[in-house]
Structures are given as structure tokens and as C-alpha cells.
Amino acid sequence: MQEKEITLLFKAGVFESCKASPISMSRGWTLKFVTKDNEEIGLNLQRSKKEREFKSLDGAASVAKRIGFEWLDVQLGELTWREKAGAIKSK
């Protein structure tokens, strides 16, 4: 789904949370938007149906914040934690 569509759904109160997950240790991160029905929706590239990939967690958090999420759930395998979307900084 495109960022514009996800923003509209966020404003309509469809989403419960936003989750960042690594693609692989060398490729980066993806964002999944979790609805109140526990359905996960991925963020697509602007000009294709291919899922958008972020090189850094900071980049993914920036997009989540721009959409409107205050918190981002970060998932690494079985380990999950919650970060303030604007507070994540890459070193």
C-alpha cells in the first residue's frame, strides 16, 4: 500500500501499531502497519507494488512518524521493544 493511503487509514483510526522488522542483517528494514484486526499491511514503493526497504532503522522511524505514529515496535527475531518514533537515531 502507498504511504498516502496508509496515512489516510491512520487518520481514520484503522491501525493499532507500526512494526519495524529487519529484512536481513545486511539489507535493512521494512515497516508493517498492524490493523485493529491484527492484519499486517506493508508499505510499497511509490511507483510499484514492491515492498519499500529502509537502509536504517532511523529512516523507517522517520516515515512512521511522518504518517502519524508516535511509537514504533521494533522486532528482531523473538526480541521486541517499543521506541518513540522520533527518538531513534542511528550512530
Short mmCIF file of all heavy atoms in Angstrom, two decimals, residues 6 9-19 32-41 67-73 82:
data_model
loop_
_atom_site.label_atom_id
_atom_site.label_comp_id
_atom_site.label_asym_id
_atom_site.label_seq_id
_atom_site.Cartn_x
_atom_site.Cartn_y
_atom_site.Cartn_z
N ILE A 6 -1.87 4.79 3.45
CA ILE A 6 -1.64 4.40 4.85
C ILE A 6 -1.89 5.59 5.76
O ILE A 6 -2.49 5.44 6.84
CB ILE A 6 -0.23 3.82 5.02
CG1 ILE A 6 -0.17 2.44 4.34
CG2 ILE A 6 0.15 3.71 6.50
CD1 ILE A 6 1.18 1.80 4.30
N LEU A 9 -5.63 5.96 6.19
CA LEU A 9 -6.14 4.92 7.07
C LEU A 9 -5.74 5.18 8.52
O LEU A 9 -6.51 4.93 9.44
CB LEU A 9 -5.66 3.54 6.62
CG LEU A 9 -6.24 3.03 5.31
CD1 LEU A 9 -5.58 1.72 4.91
CD2 LEU A 9 -7.74 2.85 5.44
N PHE A 10 -4.52 5.71 8.74
CA PHE A 10 -4.08 6.07 10.09
C PHE A 10 -5.01 7.12 10.68
O PHE A 10 -5.46 7.00 11.81
CB PHE A 10 -2.64 6.57 10.08
CG PHE A 10 -2.19 7.08 11.42
CD1 PHE A 10 -1.73 6.20 12.38
CD2 PHE A 10 -2.25 8.42 11.72
CE1 PHE A 10 -1.35 6.66 13.63
CE2 PHE A 10 -1.87 8.89 12.96
CZ PHE A 10 -1.41 8.01 13.92
N LYS A 11 -5.30 8.16 9.89
CA LYS A 11 -6.18 9.24 10.35
C LYS A 11 -7.59 8.73 10.63
O LYS A 11 -8.30 9.28 11.47
CB LYS A 11 -6.20 10.38 9.34
CG LYS A 11 -4.89 11.14 9.31
CD LYS A 11 -4.90 12.23 8.27
CE LYS A 11 -3.57 12.97 8.27
NZ LYS A 11 -3.49 13.99 7.24
N ALA A 12 -7.99 7.65 9.95
CA ALA A 12 -9.31 7.06 10.16
C ALA A 12 -9.33 6.12 11.37
O ALA A 12 -10.38 5.59 11.72
CB ALA A 12 -9.76 6.31 8.91
N GLY A 13 -8.17 5.90 11.98
CA GLY A 13 -8.10 5.06 13.17
C GLY A 13 -8.06 3.57 12.91
O GLY A 13 -8.42 2.78 13.78
N VAL A 14 -7.61 3.17 11.74
CA VAL A 14 -7.59 1.76 11.36
C VAL A 14 -6.46 0.98 12.04
O VAL A 14 -6.62 -0.20 12.36
CB VAL A 14 -7.48 1.62 9.82
CG1 VAL A 14 -7.22 0.19 9.39
CG2 VAL A 14 -8.72 2.17 9.16
N PHE A 15 -5.33 1.64 12.31
CA PHE A 15 -4.14 0.92 12.77
C PHE A 15 -3.99 0.90 14.28
O PHE A 15 -4.27 1.88 14.97
CB PHE A 15 -2.88 1.52 12.15
CG PHE A 15 -2.85 1.39 10.65
CD1 PHE A 15 -2.88 2.51 9.84
CD2 PHE A 15 -2.80 0.14 10.05
CE1 PHE A 15 -2.86 2.39 8.47
CE2 PHE A 15 -2.79 0.02 8.68
CZ PHE A 15 -2.81 1.14 7.88
N GLU A 16 -3.51 -0.23 14.75
CA GLU A 16 -3.20 -0.43 16.18
C GLU A 16 -1.75 -0.03 16.46
O GLU A 16 -1.45 0.56 17.49
CB GLU A 16 -3.42 -1.91 16.54
CG GLU A 16 -3.22 -2.24 17.98
CD GLU A 16 -4.35 -1.73 18.86
OE1 GLU A 16 -5.48 -1.58 18.37
OE2 GLU A 16 -4.06 -1.46 20.04
N SER A 17 -0.84 -0.39 15.52
CA SER A 17 0.57 -0.12 15.74
C SER A 17 1.35 -0.17 14.43
O SER A 17 0.81 -0.54 13.40
CB SER A 17 1.17 -1.12 16.73
OG SER A 17 1.12 -2.43 16.20
N CYS A 18 2.62 0.20 14.54
CA CYS A 18 3.55 0.15 13.41
C CYS A 18 4.75 -0.67 13.86
O CYS A 18 5.28 -0.46 14.95
CB CYS A 18 3.96 1.56 13.02
SG CYS A 18 5.12 1.62 11.64
N LYS A 19 5.19 -1.60 13.01
CA LYS A 19 6.26 -2.52 13.39
C LYS A 19 7.40 -2.45 12.37
O LYS A 19 7.17 -2.51 11.17
CB LYS A 19 5.70 -3.93 13.45
CG LYS A 19 6.69 -5.00 13.80
CD LYS A 19 6.03 -6.34 14.05
CE LYS A 19 5.38 -6.89 12.82
NZ LYS A 19 4.90 -8.26 12.97
N LYS A 32 5.71 -2.55 8.80
CA LYS A 32 4.40 -3.22 8.70
C LYS A 32 3.44 -2.44 9.59
O LYS A 32 3.78 -2.07 10.71
CB LYS A 32 4.47 -4.66 9.19
CG LYS A 32 5.42 -5.54 8.43
CD LYS A 32 4.87 -5.90 7.10
CE LYS A 32 5.82 -6.90 6.42
NZ LYS A 32 5.47 -7.18 5.08
N PHE A 33 2.26 -2.21 9.09
CA PHE A 33 1.23 -1.48 9.83
C PHE A 33 0.18 -2.48 10.27
O PHE A 33 -0.41 -3.17 9.43
CB PHE A 33 0.66 -0.37 8.96
CG PHE A 33 1.74 0.56 8.49
CD1 PHE A 33 2.37 0.37 7.28
CD2 PHE A 33 2.16 1.60 9.30
CE1 PHE A 33 3.39 1.21 6.86
CE2 PHE A 33 3.18 2.44 8.89
CZ PHE A 33 3.80 2.25 7.67
N VAL A 34 -0.03 -2.59 11.57
CA VAL A 34 -0.92 -3.60 12.14
C VAL A 34 -2.28 -2.98 12.41
O VAL A 34 -2.40 -2.02 13.17
CB VAL A 34 -0.31 -4.17 13.45
CG1 VAL A 34 -1.20 -5.29 14.00
CG2 VAL A 34 1.11 -4.68 13.21
N THR A 35 -3.32 -3.57 11.79
CA THR A 35 -4.68 -3.07 11.98
C THR A 35 -5.24 -3.57 13.31
O THR A 35 -4.65 -4.43 13.96
CB THR A 35 -5.62 -3.53 10.84
OG1 THR A 35 -5.78 -4.93 10.94
CG2 THR A 35 -5.08 -3.13 9.47
N LYS A 36 -6.38 -3.04 13.68
CA LYS A 36 -7.03 -3.48 14.92
C LYS A 36 -7.50 -4.92 14.83
O LYS A 36 -7.76 -5.55 15.84
CB LYS A 36 -8.17 -2.53 15.27
CG LYS A 36 -7.63 -1.16 15.61
CD LYS A 36 -8.67 -0.20 16.06
CE LYS A 36 -7.97 1.12 16.39
NZ LYS A 36 -8.85 2.11 16.91
N ASP A 37 -7.57 -5.47 13.60
CA ASP A 37 -7.93 -6.88 13.39
C ASP A 37 -6.68 -7.76 13.29
O ASP A 37 -6.77 -8.90 12.84
CB ASP A 37 -8.75 -7.03 12.10
CG ASP A 37 -10.07 -6.31 12.17
OD1 ASP A 37 -10.60 -6.15 13.28
OD2 ASP A 37 -10.56 -5.89 11.10
N ASN A 38 -5.51 -7.23 13.64
CA ASN A 38 -4.22 -7.91 13.58
C ASN A 38 -3.78 -8.28 12.18
O ASN A 38 -2.99 -9.20 11.99
CB ASN A 38 -4.18 -9.14 14.49
CG ASN A 38 -3.93 -8.76 15.93
OD1 ASN A 38 -3.28 -7.75 16.21
ND2 ASN A 38 -4.43 -9.55 16.84
N GLU A 39 -4.27 -7.59 11.18
CA GLU A 39 -3.81 -7.77 9.80
C GLU A 39 -2.60 -6.86 9.60
O GLU A 39 -2.59 -5.71 10.05
CB GLU A 39 -4.92 -7.38 8.82
CG GLU A 39 -4.53 -7.52 7.38
CD GLU A 39 -5.62 -7.03 6.43
OE1 GLU A 39 -6.77 -6.86 6.87
OE2 GLU A 39 -5.29 -6.80 5.27
N GLU A 40 -1.57 -7.36 8.94
CA GLU A 40 -0.37 -6.56 8.68
C GLU A 40 -0.38 -6.07 7.23
O GLU A 40 -0.59 -6.85 6.30
CB GLU A 40 0.90 -7.37 8.93
CG GLU A 40 1.15 -7.62 10.39
CD GLU A 40 2.50 -8.26 10.65
OE1 GLU A 40 3.27 -8.50 9.70
OE2 GLU A 40 2.79 -8.53 11.82
N ILE A 41 -0.16 -4.77 7.07
CA ILE A 41 -0.11 -4.15 5.75
C ILE A 41 1.29 -3.58 5.56
O ILE A 41 1.80 -2.86 6.41
CB ILE A 41 -1.16 -3.03 5.63
CG1 ILE A 41 -2.56 -3.63 5.78
CG2 ILE A 41 -1.01 -2.28 4.32
CD1 ILE A 41 -3.67 -2.61 5.85
N ILE A 67 3.84 9.57 8.97
CA ILE A 67 2.49 9.06 8.80
C ILE A 67 1.62 9.44 10.00
O ILE A 67 0.43 9.69 9.85
CB ILE A 67 2.52 7.53 8.58
CG1 ILE A 67 3.10 7.25 7.18
CG2 ILE A 67 1.14 6.91 8.73
CD1 ILE A 67 3.40 5.79 6.92
N GLY A 68 2.23 9.52 11.19
CA GLY A 68 1.48 9.92 12.37
C GLY A 68 1.71 9.07 13.61
O GLY A 68 1.19 9.38 14.68
N PHE A 69 2.47 7.99 13.47
CA PHE A 69 2.72 7.11 14.62
C PHE A 69 3.69 7.77 15.59
O PHE A 69 4.72 8.29 15.19
CB PHE A 69 3.30 5.77 14.15
CG PHE A 69 2.31 4.90 13.47
CD1 PHE A 69 2.18 4.95 12.09
CD2 PHE A 69 1.50 4.05 14.18
CE1 PHE A 69 1.26 4.15 11.43
CE2 PHE A 69 0.56 3.25 13.55
CZ PHE A 69 0.45 3.30 12.16
N GLU A 70 3.34 7.74 16.88
CA GLU A 70 4.25 8.25 17.91
C GLU A 70 5.22 7.17 18.37
O GLU A 70 6.32 7.47 18.80
CB GLU A 70 3.45 8.75 19.12
CG GLU A 70 2.71 10.04 18.84
CD GLU A 70 2.07 10.59 20.10
OE1 GLU A 70 2.71 10.55 21.16
OE2 GLU A 70 0.93 11.06 20.01
N TRP A 71 4.79 5.91 18.29
CA TRP A 71 5.60 4.79 18.76
C TRP A 71 5.83 3.80 17.63
O TRP A 71 4.99 3.62 16.75
CB TRP A 71 4.92 4.08 19.92
CG TRP A 71 4.82 4.95 21.13
CD1 TRP A 71 3.78 5.76 21.48
CD2 TRP A 71 5.83 5.15 22.10
NE1 TRP A 71 4.07 6.43 22.63
CE2 TRP A 71 5.33 6.07 23.05
CE3 TRP A 71 7.11 4.63 22.31
CZ2 TRP A 71 6.06 6.49 24.15
CZ3 TRP A 71 7.84 5.04 23.41
CH2 TRP A 71 7.32 5.96 24.32
N LEU A 72 6.98 3.14 17.68
CA LEU A 72 7.36 2.14 16.70
C LEU A 72 7.76 0.88 17.44
O LEU A 72 8.61 0.92 18.33
CB LEU A 72 8.53 2.66 15.86
CG LEU A 72 9.08 1.75 14.78
CD1 LEU A 72 8.03 1.55 13.68
CD2 LEU A 72 10.34 2.35 14.18
N ASP A 73 7.14 -0.25 17.10
CA ASP A 73 7.52 -1.54 17.68
C ASP A 73 8.64 -2.11 16.82
O ASP A 73 8.48 -2.26 15.61
CB ASP A 73 6.33 -2.51 17.69
CG ASP A 73 5.21 -2.04 18.60
OD1 ASP A 73 5.50 -1.34 19.58
OD2 ASP A 73 4.05 -2.39 18.32
N ARG A 82 9.58 -1.28 22.16
CA ARG A 82 8.86 -0.12 21.65
C ARG A 82 9.72 1.12 21.82
O ARG A 82 10.27 1.35 22.88
CB ARG A 82 7.55 0.02 22.42
CG ARG A 82 6.66 1.13 21.91
CD ARG A 82 5.30 0.97 22.51
NE ARG A 82 4.48 0.45 21.42
CZ ARG A 82 3.22 0.78 21.25
NH1 ARG A 82 2.61 1.54 22.11
NH2 ARG A 82 2.55 0.33 20.23
#
